[in-house]
Each structure stands twice: as C-alpha cells, then as structure tokens.
Amino acid sequence: MQRAQVAWVLFMFAAVLLLRTGPAVVAAFAPQDGYGSVFCNARPVPGQPPLLAIVIDDLTTGAPGLEEMLRLPYPLTFAILPDRPDAGALARRIAALGHEVILHLPMDAGEVDPQWYVGRPISSRQSDEEIQQLVSEWLAAVPEARGMNNHMGTVATQDERVVRAVLEVARRHGKYILDSMTTENTVVPRTAVEMGVPCMQRSLFLDHENGEEVVAAQLYKLAEWAETHGAAIGIGHVGVGREGTAAALAEVLPELEARGIRLVTLSQLLSYQQEN
C-alpha cells in the first residue's frame, strides 16, 4: 500500500474514533462548575443524610450583612480576615454564639487593587519563614480558628512553595484547610494530601453575582450537589453588595432541612470522613 493510502486510512480511522469518543474527550478536559467530593483526597461521604456546610467569607467588624448572618439559627462557619486589629474580638464573639471560626488568609491574586486584600497578602515575594511567621501570628491572634481558607489567591495557590509554607503551619497547629478554589490550577488539594493536612474544597460560590434570587438559585444547586455527592460546601460573603445573601439563607435553609439535608460546620463535615 502506498504511503498516501496509508495516511488516508489512518486519517479515516482517527475521524471515526473522534466521532465516537469526542464528546467524552471534550467533557474530560472542559472546566467544571464545582468539584465532586468535598474532600481533597476525593473520598466519598458515606451514608445519609446529605451534608451541607455554608462558609461565610470576608468577615470584618461592621461589614454590611454581618449582623443578619449572625442571627441565623444554623451551624455556619465564618472566615475572618485576620490581619486586622478587630479580628480577635470578632472571633470571640462569633465563637460565643456557637458558630465555627476559620482564618480567611489574604493571598496573592496578581494585579488587583491592594485594598481588596484587607491586609498583607501571602505571596511568592516572601520567604518560607516570612509566610509561616505571618500565618502563625494570625493564628495566635485568633485562637478560636479551627482551620483556614484563602481570600482570593489565584496566583499564590498555584505556587507549591507558598502553599507548602502555609500548610506547614496548619499541620503544626492541627488546623484544617479549605481551598476556596479561586483557580482551577490550584495545587492546594494535592499538596495538602501529600502533607497529611486535613483538606476540603468548596463546591459552589453562592453570591458570585449580587442579589437574593441569585443566591437562592445557587443554594438549590448546592442542595442537589449534596444529594448527589453526599456533601457540599458553599461559600457566601458579607460586605457591600452582598446584603441579599443572609436573606436568601434565611428563606432557603429551612426548605433544605425539610428536604432531609443536614447543615453542618466544616469541622463536623470533616469528622464524618474521619469516623467512617
């Protein structure tokens, strides 16, 4: 058979193969809206009922929507921006109300307004020692923190050296990590599993767009996620433009509980994996 004929046969074979498998191949590499297991080691959540953890980011004293959030009668996890003088007092208040506290670590997101960090961001410009000193300082100021997650960090969470420095402090102090998944190129889950640090990852953002109706729709999607995968983690916020988040939670969470979904903190969610 001549070379041209061989090439034509190979071309036709590849074309037929692509037609049969193309959709699956494309789906395998397409960006996904959310992630399956909430655990970084991809372990499923055994048994029922479906578990749902709600994390509220960007906490500072006086943030719009904060008081409404604190009045909600549900086990929520609050992520406090730690590089502020009021962080310790706010953490003590939240813990006294029976909620869970974590640190919301400012991390490098590239060329953004520096004020968005609300503190000193962790970045590759710092040494391992500087990063660890910063995180240790924040943990000392907020001893109520059970774990930590990233505030922004689309650049820093892709840098394994930076991530390892943060996770080393978490491991040393017995804290868990929640990856906010601000980039699909994050190395946090893989690195945490390698280092033996308890690690979870968010499923959906609740208020990526402003408005009570948007948040409500995301909560229903999150409920379906929990029912499909056994558990789900949603991240919402307080702050300007996010005032509708608390109202949506107040409206939808009773419906989800009646539907058989159990609301838990991140520590409670982690305990289900460790006990089973």
Side-chain angles (χ1 to χ4, degrees):
M1 186 180 292
Q2 296 182 357
R3 181 176 299 175
Q5 291 175 308
V6 172
W8 176 252
V9 171
L10 291 175
F11 173 79
M12 292 301 296
F13 175 79
V16 171
L17 183 63
L18 182 59
L19 285 172
R20 291 183 176 180
T21 64
V25 172
V26 171
F29 288 95
Q32 300 297 310
D33 180 18
Y35 306 84
S37 174
V38 295
F39 302 118
C40 296
N41 60 10
R43 284 184 56 187
V45 180
Q48 291 291 326
L51 306 174
L52 178 57
I54 301 294
V55 180
I56 305 300
D57 279 355
D58 296 353
L59 260 71
T60 60
T61 299
L66 172 62
E67 296 306 317
E68 291 81 358
M69 285 290 184
L70 294 180
R71 286 196 290 268
L72 293 174
Y74 302 104
L76 303 177
T77 301
F78 288 95
I80 294 178
L81 287 160
D83 199 19
R84 294 173 55 87
D86 63 335
L90 182 57
R92 289 190 293 275
R93 181 187 173 200
I94 291 171
L97 291 171
H99 296 296
E100 185 154 312
V101 172
I102 62 175
L103 298 184
H104 195 36
L105 305 179
M107 298 186 77
D108 184 16
E111 297 182 2
V112 300
D113 186 338
Q115 295 183 359
W116 292 357
Y117 294 115
V118 198
R120 295 164 287 178
I122 295 166
S123 76
S124 61
R125 293 181 291 276
Q126 300 157 335
S127 68
D128 291 2
E129 291 74 18
E130 288 172 324
I131 293 170
Q132 291 175 6
Q133 175 59 38
L134 199 56
V135 179
S136 297
E137 173 188 325
W138 292 337
L139 280 173
V142 186
E144 294 81 6
R146 305 288 298 274
M148 55 189 76
N149 74 333
N150 53 293
H151 172 56
M152 304 196 293
T154 51
V155 173
T157 58
Q158 297 185 57
D159 189 319
E160 185 169 341
R161 181 191 68 81
V162 171
V163 169
R164 283 187 176 276
V166 172
L167 292 177
E168 178 56 38
V169 180
R171 179 167 64 178
R172 189 185 310 154
H173 291 272
K175 309 297 182 183
Y176 63 74
I177 189 82
L178 168 67
D179 190 350
S180 301
M181 307 299 283
T182 55
T183 172
E184 62 183 11
N185 297 318
T186 176
V187 300
V188 172
R190 171 178 58 79
T191 308
V193 171
E194 291 176 1
M195 295 179 64
V197 176
C199 176
M200 291 166 282
Q201 53 197 10
R202 66 96 183 149
S203 307
L204 295 174
F205 284 113
L206 300 177
D207 44 14
H208 58 298
E209 297 178 12
N210 297 336
E212 184 177 339
E213 292 183 358
V214 171
V215 178
Q218 287 294 93
L219 282 168
Y220 290 124
K221 286 180 63 177
L222 194 65
E224 294 175 2
W225 198 273
E227 290 167 341
T228 299
H229 299 283
I233 297 173
I235 294 182
H237 302 78
V238 294
V240 175
R242 305 293 176 82
E243 293 87 350
T245 301
L249 290 171
E251 178 185 350
V252 176
L253 290 184
E255 296 181 35
L256 301 189
E257 284 191 320
R259 189 162 143 179
I261 293 173
R262 178 177 297 171
L263 299 171
V264 295
T265 63
L266 289 182
S267 289
Q268 291 170 330
L269 182 54
L270 194 61
S271 71
Y272 275 88
Q273 183 196 39
Q274 295 172 341
E275 293 171 2
N276 294 276

